[in-house]
Amino acid sequence: MLLVWATSRNVSTSEYRWTLASGLFARLFLLACPSFTSFDINRYLWDGHAILIGLDPYRLAPNQAPPALFAGWQFPGVGTHVATIYPPGAQSVFALCALFGPTGAWWAWKIILLIASTATVVVCERLLARRSCPQHLPLV
């Protein structure tokens, strides 16, 4: 997309619709792909489950928790000796995802990200079109 942005500066708004469509298609296509660059999702869902079972992720690091309470949940890959750093609003989203269980939580998280990233792209495309600079859409 950086190459598209760098080579097509004088294209009309309607011609950038393919960029929008390809971005949305990529999000749908990658929905089922596992996270391979980060273990953060494991921490998010671990925190969410901790909240649902009555533990405080602000006081309890993953390596201090009784493993039996987290049977079936993926253990966070990094930062297991540190209590959570995520704000309460994020924690509520993590807990919402954890309501769907160890397998369903992953899908809930991915769907939330799909909705949020799609909304971001659509809103940015509209804002860029209003400002007559659709050539920046590939950067979004």
Side-chain angles (χ1 to χ4, degrees):
M1 287 301 176
L2 187 58
L3 183 61
V4 170
W5 174 74
T7 60
S8 59
R9 301 253 175 174
N10 297 322
V11 179
S12 71
T13 302
S14 63
E15 292 179 83
Y16 271 97
R17 296 293 171 156
W18 74 268
T19 305
L20 178 64
S22 64
L24 297 177
F25 175 76
R27 282 164 175 73
L28 285 172
F29 181 74
L30 296 172
L31 183 66
C33 292
S35 176
F36 55 87
T37 59
S38 169
F39 294 105
D40 290 349
I41 189 171
N42 297 339
R43 179 58 186 253
Y44 304 155
L45 300 178
W46 189 95
D47 282 358
H49 179 66
I51 290 168
L52 292 179
I53 61 173
L55 299 176
D56 183 357
Y58 292 105
R59 293 179 181 243
L60 184 70
N63 67 359
Q64 298 170 329
L69 296 177
F70 291 89
W73 292 89
Q74 193 75 11
F75 192 73
V78 293
T80 58
H81 63 288
V82 179
T84 194
I85 60 168
Y86 303 107
Q91 292 290 340
S92 64
V93 175
F94 304 158
L96 172 69
C97 293
L99 283 172
F100 294 94
T103 305
W106 184 85
W107 283 104
W109 178 253
K110 296 285 274 190
I111 289 169
I112 287 171
L113 289 184
L114 174 69
I115 293 167
S117 66
T118 298
T120 299
V121 170
V122 169
V123 167
C124 287
E125 186 271 335
R126 290 181 183 164
L127 289 172
L128 290 169
R130 278 191 198 156
R131 296 185 185 269
S132 299
C133 53
Q135 70 272 18
H136 299 303
L137 184 60
L139 296 177
V140 176

